[in-house]
Amino acid sequence: MHTLPTLVLAMAALMSCAAMAASPSPADAKDTATPMPAWEQLTQAQRDALIAPLRARWNDSPERRARMYEYAQRWQNMTPEQRKRAHRGMKRWKHMDPGQRAQARALFQKMRGMSKEDRSELREQWHAMTPEQRRQWVERNPPVER
């Protein structure tokens, strides 16, 4: 079982990675990657700066704490490839407009309980739909807010 500090650190890493994906760093601008130190090598001020957004989100949303904790546990269990895919997904999500996000939520929730074959069939149907047909599909299959 993971300890709470380890999970909190994983959540902080996830959130900071999402923030980093959203805005290029100076290293990205120069196309040179500067190796960053291990957590143990960071100063306390650097650690606090990384954890501050998580601390604020945790304190501001007591009703979401269980879900945040669940996300941290899942992140800990991901392979490096799964984490890369998650980063790409977070980046795509950030650049979606509200309508695209609603469509993505509806599709995800609908596919969640489907077999692999049914998901593949729905994906093919989705790609063949016009924007208006997609809008209508989402109206018939609204995402459930969590």
Side-chain angles (χ1 to χ4, degrees):
M1 182 167 166
H2 301 289
T3 63
L4 183 57
T6 302
L7 294 171
V8 170
L9 291 176
M11 289 171 56
L14 177 61
M15 290 174 44
S16 64
C17 288
M20 287 186 282
S23 60
S25 70
D28 291 337
K30 293 185 273 181
D31 277 328
T32 59
T34 305
M36 296 301 295
W39 181 262
E40 294 76 18
Q41 295 169 325
L42 294 173
T43 66
Q44 188 60 46
Q46 289 170 320
R47 292 177 188 181
D48 291 343
L50 287 168
I51 293 176
L54 174 63
R55 182 180 296 122
R57 184 178 282 181
W58 183 272
N59 288 337
D60 292 345
S61 305
E63 71 284 355
R64 300 200 65 214
R65 290 177 185 168
R67 188 161 172 95
M68 291 170 67
Y69 190 75
E70 176 189 332
Y71 287 153
Q73 288 177 314
R74 286 193 352 225
W75 184 260
Q76 287 286 310
N77 293 324
M78 286 183 181
T79 65
E81 179 57 34
Q82 289 171 322
R83 289 180 184 186
K84 284 180 186 177
R85 285 195 342 247
H87 283 291
R88 285 192 302 267
M90 287 185 287
K91 192 172 184 178
R92 279 194 313 267
W93 183 263
K94 183 179 183 342
H95 296 300
M96 287 182 185
D97 64 44
Q100 291 171 318
R101 287 181 182 186
Q103 289 180 353
R105 278 189 199 99
L107 269 174
F108 178 78
Q109 287 180 8
K110 185 73 169 183
M111 288 183 175
R112 196 174 208 173
M114 294 179 154
S115 68
K116 188 174 184 176
E117 295 79 23
D118 290 341
R119 282 193 307 268
S120 180
E121 183 179 326
L122 178 56
R123 195 175 295 115
E124 287 175 24
Q125 291 172 358
W126 182 263
H127 290 297
M129 289 181 195
T130 65
E132 179 58 23
Q133 289 171 322
R134 289 178 181 175
R135 187 191 61 73
Q136 291 172 359
W137 186 92
V138 172
E139 285 178 4
R140 291 189 310 273
N141 300 278
V144 177
E145 294 298 323
R146 295 177 109 189

